[in-house]
Amino acid sequence: MKFGLFLTALAVLGLAAPAHAADGSEKGTLSLLFENDLFYNSDHDYTNGVLIGYTTAPQDTPDWAVDLARKLPFFAQEGEVRTRYALGQDIFTPHNLSLPNPPPTDRPYAGFLYGAFGLVDDNETSLDQLQVTLGIVGPASLAEDTQKFVHRIIHGTDPQGWATQLRDEPGLIIQYERSLKLIPPQSVFGLFFDAEPHYGIAIGNIYDYVNVGGMARLGINIPKDYGPLRIDPSLPGSGFYEPTGGVGAYIFAGVDGRAIARNLFLDGNSFQDSRSVSKMNLVGDLELGAAVTFRAFQLTFTHVMRTREYATQKTAAQFGAVNLSVRF
């Protein structure tokens, strides 16, 4: 009952809030993202990810960022430029958390604590995104403390094998992705449908891969964006949205395939001896989800099914992602 009243209050606030600022300009978007496999009763491999990010409104983008975007040859050289700032933490664990010395064939314990800065250029027919991520892998990522703290609260298994985690190592990812409005929103039996293929590349000591995929959406008042934000590697989201009506809702499905040359969380540390497993060079994601959008906020849930990432992984993985975005 209380939860229903809470949702009603959010909806009223969302409907009451203007889509634009008083001067008609756009708004920035704050995103809170939580990914976890607990939605599907598992607790291993990529087991948890949290991210808080802010994407500026076009009129709030610093001049130097606009100038930089215009100088990048792989950007569209037109459209609205935004900047994105993010902080996040990812956690990876083997299957049996109760073992102090997990089997060497299982995924190593690992964590990644990071900050990111991105440039986003939207010209309504394509979205260019360049992001630089800097962080730390190993005990300094605080992944052990985070997981043990959460497991004490939920009375989960006390993870015993963190002494075997990957060692401290600075992490760098430089990532570029382009999404295309191949099919802009089209009316289909009173609903709206669009389709967005994408491709990209990531380089650094954390990940080296190229990826390609696409997403399709069907709903009412589909916002002007490129899908919900996700923690990489994944389908690209835009990190912002522009509502097209008082209330919007849509369902979506997407795929992303990656050819991977390096995954530090499987290959092990770059310059120190550490645990490692034999990774799969081709990995794919299938995503299904739904979103509800008001003028002031958007709530999204995504079900992710990921193919095996290493040779000794027993089954494909699945996890859920919840994203709350607020415009202000």
Side-chain angles (χ1 to χ4, degrees):
M1 182 65 178
K2 292 181 179 180
F3 183 67
L5 292 173
F6 173 71
L7 290 179
T8 301
L10 283 178
V12 171
L13 290 173
L15 289 169
H20 298 268
D23 61 359
S25 57
E26 263 299 323
K27 295 183 175 183
T29 304
L30 177 68
S31 297
L32 304 174
L33 179 56
F34 171 68
E35 299 184 346
N36 202 290
D37 54 1
L38 65 82
F39 294 102
Y40 303 102
N41 196 33
S42 62
D43 195 11
H44 54 80
D45 293 310
Y46 173 49
T47 188
N48 186 73
V50 292
L51 181 144
I52 178 170
Y54 180 72
T55 303
T56 62
Q59 71 273 6
D60 296 328
T61 302
D63 291 340
W64 64 264
V66 177
D67 292 340
L68 177 58
R70 296 293 180 248
K71 293 177 182 177
L72 295 174
F74 43 85
F75 268 42
Q77 309 302 317
E78 59 184 358
E80 296 180 330
V81 177
R82 305 170 190 253
T83 53
R84 179 184 303 134
Y85 311 89
L87 293 172
Q89 183 190 57
D90 301 340
I91 299 176
F92 306 88
T93 62
H95 283 68
N96 192 339
L97 300 182
S98 64
L99 296 177
N101 186 23
T105 55
D106 209 343
R107 175 192 280 272
Y109 279 91
F112 186 37
L113 182 67
Y114 59 89
F117 169 76
L119 283 176
V120 181
D121 187 5
D122 177 20
N123 68 359
E124 297 188 355
T125 60
S126 67
L127 182 76
D128 290 305
Q129 300 187 84
L130 176 67
Q131 180 167 288
V132 178
T133 300
L134 293 171
I136 186 72
V137 175
S141 72
L142 305 178
E144 176 181 3
D145 301 306
T146 299
Q147 187 178 51
K148 288 185 174 180
F149 173 74
V150 172
H151 277 218
R152 282 196 297 269
I153 294 176
I154 65 174
H155 303 290
T157 302
D158 183 25
Q160 298 294 308
W162 275 103
T164 65
Q165 71 175 299
L166 300 186
R167 308 310 177 197
D168 281 338
E169 179 176 337
L172 169 67
I173 309 169
I174 302 173
Q175 183 180 19
Y176 167 73
E177 288 186 294
R178 169 170 283 187
S179 301
L180 304 167
K181 284 287 185 186
L182 179 65
I183 303 177
Q186 305 287 321
S187 178
V188 179
F189 302 113
L191 300 175
F192 285 91
F193 169 85
D194 68 0
E196 303 159 3
H198 66 263
Y199 59 87
I201 183 172
I203 59 174
N205 66 314
I206 301 294
Y207 295 116
D208 291 318
Y209 64 78
V210 294
N211 68 303
V212 64
M215 180 179 66
R217 303 187 293 180
L218 178 68
I220 58 172
N221 292 332
I222 295 178
K224 294 180 180 179
D225 65 0
Y226 291 78
L229 185 65
R230 286 281 323 287
I231 294 174
D232 295 315
S234 70
L235 275 76
S238 55
F240 68 89
Y241 70 96
E242 298 178 26
T244 57
V247 179
Y250 65 86
I251 57 175
F252 62 91
V255 294
D256 184 68
R258 296 180 288 280
I260 303 171
R262 176 164 177 78
N263 180 340
L264 182 142
F265 305 114
L266 300 174
D267 292 324
N269 287 108
S270 305
F271 309 107
Q272 303 181 66
D273 290 335
S274 68
R275 295 209 171 195
S276 64
V277 289
S278 179
K279 72 174 179 297
M280 307 294 286
N281 294 113
L282 298 177
V283 175
D285 287 358
L286 170 64
E287 298 190 2
L288 304 171
V292 58
T293 300
F294 300 92
R295 289 193 179 99
F297 72 93
Q298 180 183 73
L299 184 64
T300 307
F301 179 79
T302 307
H303 177 193
V304 183
M305 291 161 279
R306 179 167 292 170
T307 61
R308 292 189 305 131
E309 296 183 84
Y310 53 99
T312 51
Q313 186 175 357
K314 297 177 182 178
T315 61
Q318 56 181 339
F319 56 91
V322 178
N323 181 31
L324 174 64
S325 294
V326 182
R327 302 173 73 247
F328 62 92

